[in-house]
Amino acid sequence: MEIFLIRALQFMMAISLLVLIHEGGHFLFAKLFGIRVEKFYLFFDPWFHIFEFKPKKSDTAYGVGWLPLGGYCKIAGMIDESFDTEQMKQPAQPWEFRSKPAWQRLFVMIGGVLFNFLLALFIYSMILFTWGDSYIPVKNMTNGMKFNQEAKALGFRDGDILVGTENGEFKDFGADMFRAISEARRVDIIRGGKSMSIALSGDLNLLSMIKNQPPFVRPLLHCVADTVMPGTPAAKIGMKKGDRILALNGKPVDSYNTFTDEIGKLTDVLATASTAADSMKVRKATVVLEHADKSRDTANVVLTADLKLGFATNSYAMIYKPYTKEYGFFESFPAGAKYGVHVLTSYVDDMKYVFTADGAKSLGGFGAIGSLFPADWDWYMFWRMTALLSVMLAFMNILPIPALDGGHVLFLIYEMITRRKPSEDFMVKAEYVGFGIIILLMIVANLNDVLRWLGYM
């Protein structure tokens, strides 16, 4: 429950900031061009609101709604999600959105997206200034990598040290590395101390590479105990720090990766167990240990109810020394801008997978987004996630879907080219269609969250 509350609080803080900045962009340009803003709200307020305040001599009511799905800036003389068609039946006033030149209305509509993207660039810049850029270079992972069968069919072998592609060296182990491999015609590696290259097609499926179990590539970790928890099955069979697992249930274990894969198979079997006896049968295991003095023992053990043995190895973050590049205040801005643009282009490039069956299943709603925040309060991760969500929000809002900013931008560009405004009746109908599309996407994304939670995906 504590973890849920910490993640929920981080999520709400991030979303609140992004909504305020986004709507603030619309608000600022509207005020700049003398357009009246009737409401400025954090969260939606159907039927009632939590708080509202309207300053004297102000046309704008500021408030907080009860439905935390976003926010809005109600601009006079504009057809938006409020569907206020009565106002549109009245004669146009000079302070209304519809009375202003198309170029001014265009700036009002892109203001939210622009502010969200600028916020992301600023956050990335401040992250680099505060914490620097710390990572473990992939080529320094001297234990090499563990590959799945798909990767081995392409020519990779366990223990290969990844170096880079024809487009340059890999930076750190993460999504960018997977993306680079998926698009590469050549991957440079070190095998047995010798440099060599593996030819690829240049069009591997990035989504499959990451989602497959096991994934395309993982850092290779030796199955050597660093910590043995007291009272656990590992402690009961005499396992100590430095001991290595050589086999599990008669199957050779050449790495911690293989060990976790075998435990994963047992987990699948346990899920189908219908009786206590069936569950106990799955939990009984045979482990072959090699001690620090090279002596070996074979032990029968009963794993915990969640199939844990009760030991931990060193993670690759503990094995390898990270490299940190620090930035001064002024040099952090161009570096942050460059990184933000890279995040945006990568996100746009990955959108092609959304239109596949696996991509649709990968869509996530509020639960999936909230789970991306750390279980412990971590300001570094909080700001990284907030910046990423700001980039995502900017891109999603600029899509040419009616009811989103991008839909309004599309109609404004049409007006500027043809010198003709779409009719108000058409705009209302388009707004309803766009709103329906958004609701449908939200239902699909959040339904995916529920199905994952129930174990169906």
Side-chain angles (χ1 to χ4, degrees):
M1 188 61 168
E2 182 182 355
I3 291 175
F4 171 79
L5 291 175
I6 291 173
R7 283 178 166 158
L9 181 58
Q10 292 179 86
F11 176 67
M12 291 302 296
M13 284 180 60
I15 290 299
S16 298
L17 173 62
L18 299 185
V19 168
L20 288 172
I21 293 296
H22 182 90
E23 300 305 332
H26 295 309
F27 181 88
L28 180 67
F29 280 106
K31 289 294 187 179
L32 183 65
F33 297 128
I35 301 172
R36 183 174 295 177
V37 179
E38 297 175 351
K39 283 188 174 183
F40 185 92
Y41 258 69
L42 172 64
F43 306 148
F44 294 117
D45 61 330
W47 305 295
F48 67 94
H49 53 260
I50 296 174
F51 166 81
E52 185 176 275
F53 170 69
K54 187 174 183 179
K56 291 182 179 179
K57 299 181 181 180
S58 174
D59 299 315
T60 307
Y62 303 88
V64 178
W66 62 269
L67 188 60
L69 299 180
Y72 68 97
C73 184
K74 190 175 186 307
I75 297 173
M78 175 183 168
I79 298 173
D80 57 13
E81 61 270 18
S82 67
F83 298 106
D84 186 1
T85 55
E86 291 302 317
Q87 184 184 63
M88 304 302 292
K89 294 176 182 178
Q90 305 302 318
Q93 301 298 322
W95 35 261
E96 287 187 331
F97 179 82
R98 56 181 166 168
S99 301
K100 300 299 180 178
W103 69 270
Q104 291 186 5
R105 286 180 278 135
L106 181 64
F107 272 100
V108 172
M109 293 317 307
I110 66 173
V113 169
L114 177 64
F115 272 42
N116 274 136
F117 189 59
L118 291 177
L119 173 66
L121 299 187
F122 177 75
I123 292 175
Y124 283 130
S125 298
M126 291 301 95
I127 287 174
L128 292 176
F129 172 65
T130 306
W131 289 283
D133 187 11
S134 183
Y135 59 94
I136 299 169
V138 176
K139 66 179 182 180
N140 290 355
M141 296 182 179
T142 52
N143 284 347
M145 299 289 166
K146 182 74 174 177
F147 298 91
N148 67 8
Q149 291 304 313
E150 177 192 0
K152 289 177 180 178
L154 295 171
F156 293 98
R157 294 183 188 173
D158 290 341
D160 287 349
I161 301 172
L162 295 173
V163 177
T165 71
E166 70 272 17
N167 295 317
E169 287 190 352
F170 297 126
K171 183 184 175 184
D172 58 352
F173 187 91
D176 286 342
M177 188 199 75
F178 278 87
R179 186 177 296 105
I181 294 175
S182 73
E183 299 171 352
R185 294 282 181 177
R186 185 194 81 231
V187 175
D188 300 324
I189 64 170
I190 298 174
R191 178 181 294 168
K194 296 181 180 179
S195 297
M196 60 180 298
S197 299
I198 295 175
L200 296 180
S201 62
D203 60 351
L204 298 180
N205 188 297
L206 175 62
L207 194 62
S208 295
M209 291 173 67
I210 296 174
K211 285 192 64 178
N212 284 346
Q213 291 300 323
F216 189 89
V217 58
R218 294 167 289 171
L220 192 151
L221 298 173
H222 297 305
C223 200
V224 177
D226 177 67
T227 305
V228 177
M229 278 64 84
T232 60
K236 292 176 182 178
I237 62 173
M239 192 173 183
K240 295 181 174 58
K241 180 175 181 177
D243 287 354
R244 180 190 299 266
I245 295 179
L246 298 180
L248 177 66
N249 291 339
K251 296 179 180 179
V253 172
D254 60 1
S255 64
Y256 184 67
N257 312 82
T258 301
F259 176 80
T260 57
D261 291 344
E262 291 301 322
I263 293 295
K265 294 175 184 177
L266 292 178
T267 302
D268 293 338
V269 177
L270 185 64
T272 63
S274 56
T275 66
D278 290 337
S279 298
M280 183 57 67
K281 186 177 179 181
V282 177
R283 290 171 57 192
K284 289 181 178 179
T286 302
V287 179
V288 178
L289 295 177
E290 181 182 79
H291 302 293
D293 61 1
K294 300 302 180 183
S295 63
R296 297 185 180 184
D297 282 331
T298 299
N300 294 316
V301 64
V302 177
L303 303 175
T304 63
D306 55 352
L307 299 182
K308 294 291 191 296
L309 186 56
F311 78 102
T313 64
N314 283 327
S315 66
Y316 76 87
M318 298 168 66
I319 297 171
Y320 305 112
K321 183 179 179 181
Y323 165 78
T324 301
K325 182 176 182 180
E326 296 183 349
Y327 291 86
F329 182 74
F330 292 106
E331 63 180 343
S332 68
F333 287 97
K338 181 180 178 180
Y339 185 77
V341 170
H342 170 71
V343 171
L344 175 63
T345 54
S346 298
Y347 182 72
V348 172
D349 184 58
D350 293 345
M351 284 297 293
K352 61 178 177 284
Y353 295 106
V354 172
F355 303 101
T356 66
D358 287 339
K361 293 178 182 177
S362 298
L363 288 175
F366 299 115
I369 296 173
S371 67
L372 295 176
F373 286 92
D376 297 317
W377 197 277
D378 183 332
W379 282 111
Y380 172 76
M381 290 304 301
F382 169 80
W383 287 117
R384 280 187 66 91
M385 278 305 308
T386 301
L388 175 61
L389 290 177
S390 196
V391 170
M392 293 168 62
L393 182 62
F395 175 74
M396 296 303 293
N397 263 284
I398 205 62
L399 291 176
I401 298 174
L404 292 179
D405 297 342
H408 291 279
V409 168
L410 179 66
F411 295 137
L412 281 168
I413 292 175
Y414 166 82
E415 178 185 340
M416 294 171 74
I417 293 174
T418 64
R419 304 294 180 182
R420 292 184 300 174
K421 277 187 179 183
S423 69
E424 291 179 3
D425 182 60
F426 170 81
M427 292 295 291
V428 170
K429 290 178 180 177
E431 196 78 10
Y432 275 113
V433 170
F435 201 72
I437 293 172
I438 295 169
I439 294 296
L440 179 61
L441 288 173
M442 289 180 64
I443 290 173
V444 171
N446 286 284
L447 180 60
N448 283 350
D449 285 352
V450 174
L451 292 175
R452 290 190 197 98
W453 181 69
L454 293 174
Y456 290 106
M457 289 184 66

PDB file of all heavy atoms in Angstrom, residues 204-222:
ATOM      1  N   LEU A 204      15.016  -5.224 -37.653  1.00  0.00           N
ATOM      2  CA  LEU A 204      14.510  -6.097 -36.595  1.00  0.00           C
ATOM      3  C   LEU A 204      13.360  -5.411 -35.864  1.00  0.00           C
ATOM      4  O   LEU A 204      13.309  -4.180 -35.788  1.00  0.00           O
ATOM      5  CB  LEU A 204      15.624  -6.436 -35.600  1.00  0.00           C
ATOM      6  CG  LEU A 204      16.838  -7.197 -36.148  1.00  0.00           C
ATOM      7  CD1 LEU A 204      17.843  -7.451 -35.028  1.00  0.00           C
ATOM      8  CD2 LEU A 204      16.416  -8.510 -36.789  1.00  0.00           C
ATOM      9  N   ASN A 205      12.449  -6.206 -35.347  1.00  0.00           N
ATOM     10  CA  ASN A 205      11.290  -5.661 -34.635  1.00  0.00           C
ATOM     11  C   ASN A 205      11.700  -5.271 -33.220  1.00  0.00           C
ATOM     12  O   ASN A 205      11.952  -6.138 -32.380  1.00  0.00           O
ATOM     13  CB  ASN A 205      10.162  -6.696 -34.604  1.00  0.00           C
ATOM     14  CG  ASN A 205       8.874  -6.121 -34.043  1.00  0.00           C
ATOM     15  OD1 ASN A 205       8.817  -5.718 -32.883  1.00  0.00           O
ATOM     16  ND2 ASN A 205       7.836  -6.079 -34.852  1.00  0.00           N
ATOM     17  N   LEU A 206      11.775  -3.982 -32.966  1.00  0.00           N
ATOM     18  CA  LEU A 206      12.225  -3.481 -31.670  1.00  0.00           C
ATOM     19  C   LEU A 206      11.314  -3.947 -30.543  1.00  0.00           C
ATOM     20  O   LEU A 206      11.790  -4.338 -29.466  1.00  0.00           O
ATOM     21  CB  LEU A 206      12.284  -1.949 -31.700  1.00  0.00           C
ATOM     22  CG  LEU A 206      12.622  -1.245 -30.384  1.00  0.00           C
ATOM     23  CD1 LEU A 206      14.001  -1.647 -29.890  1.00  0.00           C
ATOM     24  CD2 LEU A 206      12.527   0.274 -30.545  1.00  0.00           C
ATOM     25  N   LEU A 207       9.992  -3.923 -30.774  1.00  0.00           N
ATOM     26  CA  LEU A 207       9.051  -4.303 -29.738  1.00  0.00           C
ATOM     27  C   LEU A 207       9.255  -5.755 -29.323  1.00  0.00           C
ATOM     28  O   LEU A 207       9.269  -6.082 -28.134  1.00  0.00           O
ATOM     29  CB  LEU A 207       7.617  -4.086 -30.229  1.00  0.00           C
ATOM     30  CG  LEU A 207       6.514  -4.124 -29.173  1.00  0.00           C
ATOM     31  CD1 LEU A 207       6.716  -3.025 -28.146  1.00  0.00           C
ATOM     32  CD2 LEU A 207       5.141  -3.982 -29.838  1.00  0.00           C
ATOM     33  N   SER A 208       9.450  -6.636 -30.307  1.00  0.00           N
ATOM     34  CA  SER A 208       9.678  -8.053 -29.997  1.00  0.00           C
ATOM     35  C   SER A 208      11.001  -8.248 -29.268  1.00  0.00           C
ATOM     36  O   SER A 208      11.099  -9.073 -28.350  1.00  0.00           O
ATOM     37  CB  SER A 208       9.671  -8.883 -31.280  1.00  0.00           C
ATOM     38  OG  SER A 208       8.396  -8.859 -31.885  1.00  0.00           O
ATOM     39  N   MET A 209      12.012  -7.502 -29.660  1.00  0.00           N
ATOM     40  CA  MET A 209      13.320  -7.626 -29.025  1.00  0.00           C
ATOM     41  C   MET A 209      13.232  -7.359 -27.525  1.00  0.00           C
ATOM     42  O   MET A 209      13.886  -8.021 -26.725  1.00  0.00           O
ATOM     43  CB  MET A 209      14.312  -6.648 -29.662  1.00  0.00           C
ATOM     44  CG  MET A 209      14.705  -6.988 -31.086  1.00  0.00           C
ATOM     45  SD  MET A 209      15.709  -5.675 -31.816  1.00  0.00           S
ATOM     46  CE  MET A 209      17.202  -5.774 -30.825  1.00  0.00           C
ATOM     47  N   ILE A 210      12.420  -6.377 -27.154  1.00  0.00           N
ATOM     48  CA  ILE A 210      12.313  -5.988 -25.750  1.00  0.00           C
ATOM     49  C   ILE A 210      11.306  -6.846 -24.994  1.00  0.00           C
ATOM     50  O   ILE A 210      11.535  -7.233 -23.852  1.00  0.00           O
ATOM     51  CB  ILE A 210      11.937  -4.493 -25.646  1.00  0.00           C
ATOM     52  CG1 ILE A 210      13.054  -3.626 -26.229  1.00  0.00           C
ATOM     53  CG2 ILE A 210      11.661  -4.090 -24.202  1.00  0.00           C
ATOM     54  CD1 ILE A 210      12.722  -2.155 -26.314  1.00  0.00           C
ATOM     55  N   LYS A 211      10.180  -7.189 -25.654  1.00  0.00           N
ATOM     56  CA  LYS A 211       9.087  -7.867 -24.965  1.00  0.00           C
ATOM     57  C   LYS A 211       9.285  -9.372 -24.842  1.00  0.00           C
ATOM     58  O   LYS A 211       8.719 -10.000 -23.947  1.00  0.00           O
ATOM     59  CB  LYS A 211       7.765  -7.592 -25.699  1.00  0.00           C
ATOM     60  CG  LYS A 211       7.216  -6.188 -25.485  1.00  0.00           C
ATOM     61  CD  LYS A 211       5.790  -6.100 -25.988  1.00  0.00           C
ATOM     62  CE  LYS A 211       4.868  -7.005 -25.199  1.00  0.00           C
ATOM     63  NZ  LYS A 211       3.460  -6.927 -25.628  1.00  0.00           N
ATOM     64  N   ASN A 212      10.043  -9.977 -25.748  1.00  0.00           N
ATOM     65  CA  ASN A 212      10.230 -11.424 -25.686  1.00  0.00           C
ATOM     66  C   ASN A 212      10.802 -11.846 -24.340  1.00  0.00           C
ATOM     67  O   ASN A 212      11.580 -11.114 -23.718  1.00  0.00           O
ATOM     68  CB  ASN A 212      11.167 -11.894 -26.797  1.00  0.00           C
ATOM     69  CG  ASN A 212      10.485 -11.935 -28.155  1.00  0.00           C
ATOM     70  OD1 ASN A 212       9.270 -11.868 -28.236  1.00  0.00           O
ATOM     71  ND2 ASN A 212      11.265 -12.045 -29.213  1.00  0.00           N
ATOM     72  N   GLN A 213      10.429 -13.022 -23.894  1.00  0.00           N
ATOM     73  CA  GLN A 213      10.974 -13.570 -22.646  1.00  0.00           C
ATOM     74  C   GLN A 213      11.709 -14.868 -22.935  1.00  0.00           C
ATOM     75  O   GLN A 213      11.084 -15.830 -23.350  1.00  0.00           O
ATOM     76  CB  GLN A 213       9.846 -13.793 -21.639  1.00  0.00           C
ATOM     77  CG  GLN A 213       9.239 -12.515 -21.109  1.00  0.00           C
ATOM     78  CD  GLN A 213      10.257 -11.631 -20.394  1.00  0.00           C
ATOM     79  OE1 GLN A 213      11.152 -12.128 -19.697  1.00  0.00           O
ATOM     80  NE2 GLN A 213      10.133 -10.329 -20.560  1.00  0.00           N
ATOM     81  N   PRO A 214      13.029 -14.913 -22.767  1.00  0.00           N
ATOM     82  CA  PRO A 214      13.872 -13.787 -22.360  1.00  0.00           C
ATOM     83  C   PRO A 214      14.038 -12.769 -23.489  1.00  0.00           C
ATOM     84  O   PRO A 214      13.849 -13.120 -24.656  1.00  0.00           O
ATOM     85  CB  PRO A 214      15.211 -14.474 -22.025  1.00  0.00           C
ATOM     86  CG  PRO A 214      15.221 -15.696 -22.890  1.00  0.00           C
ATOM     87  CD  PRO A 214      13.804 -16.165 -22.943  1.00  0.00           C
ATOM     88  N   PRO A 215      14.411 -11.529 -23.163  1.00  0.00           N
ATOM     89  CA  PRO A 215      14.587 -10.513 -24.200  1.00  0.00           C
ATOM     90  C   PRO A 215      15.795 -10.801 -25.086  1.00  0.00           C
ATOM     91  O   PRO A 215      16.591 -11.696 -24.799  1.00  0.00           O
ATOM     92  CB  PRO A 215      14.784  -9.221 -23.396  1.00  0.00           C
ATOM     93  CG  PRO A 215      15.258  -9.666 -22.064  1.00  0.00           C
ATOM     94  CD  PRO A 215      14.622 -10.997 -21.818  1.00  0.00           C
ATOM     95  N   PHE A 216      15.928 -10.034 -26.147  1.00  0.00           N
ATOM     96  CA  PHE A 216      16.979 -10.220 -27.141  1.00  0.00           C
ATOM     97  C   PHE A 216      18.364 -10.289 -26.502  1.00  0.00           C
ATOM     98  O   PHE A 216      19.184 -11.142 -26.829  1.00  0.00           O
ATOM     99  CB  PHE A 216      16.915  -9.066 -28.146  1.00  0.00           C
ATOM    100  CG  PHE A 216      17.811  -9.238 -29.349  1.00  0.00           C
ATOM    101  CD1 PHE A 216      17.356  -9.896 -30.482  1.00  0.00           C
ATOM    102  CD2 PHE A 216      19.107  -8.715 -29.361  1.00  0.00           C
ATOM    103  CE1 PHE A 216      18.177 -10.042 -31.592  1.00  0.00           C
ATOM    104  CE2 PHE A 216      19.927  -8.863 -30.460  1.00  0.00           C
ATOM    105  CZ  PHE A 216      19.466  -9.526 -31.585  1.00  0.00           C
ATOM    106  N   VAL A 217      18.634  -9.388 -25.568  1.00  0.00           N
ATOM    107  CA  VAL A 217      19.951  -9.337 -24.941  1.00  0.00           C
ATOM    108  C   VAL A 217      19.825  -8.794 -23.522  1.00  0.00           C
ATOM    109  O   VAL A 217      18.982  -7.934 -23.249  1.00  0.00           O
ATOM    110  CB  VAL A 217      20.932  -8.481 -25.778  1.00  0.00           C
ATOM    111  CG1 VAL A 217      20.416  -7.059 -25.958  1.00  0.00           C
ATOM    112  CG2 VAL A 217      22.318  -8.453 -25.151  1.00  0.00           C
ATOM    113  N   ARG A 218      20.652  -9.340 -22.616  1.00  0.00           N
ATOM    114  CA  ARG A 218      20.738  -8.866 -21.229  1.00  0.00           C
ATOM    115  C   ARG A 218      22.196  -8.889 -20.807  1.00  0.00           C
ATOM    116  O   ARG A 218      22.979  -9.695 -21.339  1.00  0.00           O
ATOM    117  CB  ARG A 218      19.950  -9.793 -20.294  1.00  0.00           C
ATOM    118  CG  ARG A 218      18.461  -9.826 -20.490  1.00  0.00           C
ATOM    119  CD  ARG A 218      17.834 -10.995 -19.740  1.00  0.00           C
ATOM    120  NE  ARG A 218      18.164 -12.280 -20.369  1.00  0.00           N
ATOM    121  CZ  ARG A 218      17.895 -13.466 -19.832  1.00  0.00           C
ATOM    122  NH1 ARG A 218      17.319 -13.538 -18.631  1.00  0.00           N
ATOM    123  NH2 ARG A 218      18.209 -14.587 -20.463  1.00  0.00           N
ATOM    124  N   PRO A 219      22.585  -8.047 -19.853  1.00  0.00           N
ATOM    125  CA  PRO A 219      23.943  -8.168 -19.313  1.00  0.00           C
ATOM    126  C   PRO A 219      24.111  -9.542 -18.666  1.00  0.00           C
ATOM    127  O   PRO A 219      23.243  -9.997 -17.920  1.00  0.00           O
ATOM    128  CB  PRO A 219      24.011  -7.047 -18.257  1.00  0.00           C
ATOM    129  CG  PRO A 219      22.974  -6.069 -18.679  1.00  0.00           C
ATOM    130  CD  PRO A 219      21.867  -6.885 -19.282  1.00  0.00           C
ATOM    131  N   LEU A 220      25.199 -10.214 -18.971  1.00  0.00           N
ATOM    132  CA  LEU A 220      25.445 -11.546 -18.422  1.00  0.00           C
ATOM    133  C   LEU A 220      25.911 -11.412 -16.974  1.00  0.00           C
ATOM    134  O   LEU A 220      26.858 -10.696 -16.675  1.00  0.00           O
ATOM    135  CB  LEU A 220      26.494 -12.288 -19.254  1.00  0.00           C
ATOM    136  CG  LEU A 220      26.648 -13.790 -18.984  1.00  0.00           C
ATOM    137  CD1 LEU A 220      27.123 -14.503 -20.251  1.00  0.00           C
ATOM    138  CD2 LEU A 220      27.621 -14.065 -17.854  1.00  0.00           C
ATOM    139  N   LEU A 221      25.236 -12.117 -16.075  1.00  0.00           N
ATOM    140  CA  LEU A 221      25.576 -12.107 -14.655  1.00  0.00           C
ATOM    141  C   LEU A 221      25.894 -13.523 -14.219  1.00  0.00           C
ATOM    142  O   LEU A 221      25.146 -14.459 -14.528  1.00  0.00           O
ATOM    143  CB  LEU A 221      24.411 -11.558 -13.826  1.00  0.00           C
ATOM    144  CG  LEU A 221      23.986 -10.116 -14.109  1.00  0.00           C
ATOM    145  CD1 LEU A 221      22.721  -9.789 -13.336  1.00  0.00           C
ATOM    146  CD2 LEU A 221      25.094  -9.140 -13.759  1.00  0.00           C
ATOM    147  N   HIS A 222      26.994 -13.700 -13.512  1.00  0.00           N
ATOM    148  CA  HIS A 222      27.353 -15.020 -13.012  1.00  0.00           C
ATOM    149  C   HIS A 222      26.447 -15.393 -11.847  1.00  0.00           C
ATOM    150  O   HIS A 222      26.072 -14.533 -11.035  1.00  0.00           O
ATOM    151  CB  HIS A 222      28.820 -15.044 -12.572  1.00  0.00           C
ATOM    152  CG  HIS A 222      29.775 -14.797 -13.704  1.00  0.00           C
ATOM    153  ND1 HIS A 222      29.766 -15.542 -14.852  1.00  0.00           N
ATOM    154  CD2 HIS A 222      30.772 -13.873 -13.857  1.00  0.00           C
ATOM    155  CE1 HIS A 222      30.715 -15.109 -15.676  1.00  0.00           C
ATOM    156  NE2 HIS A 222      31.329 -14.083 -15.095  1.00  0.00           N
TER     157      HIS A 222
END
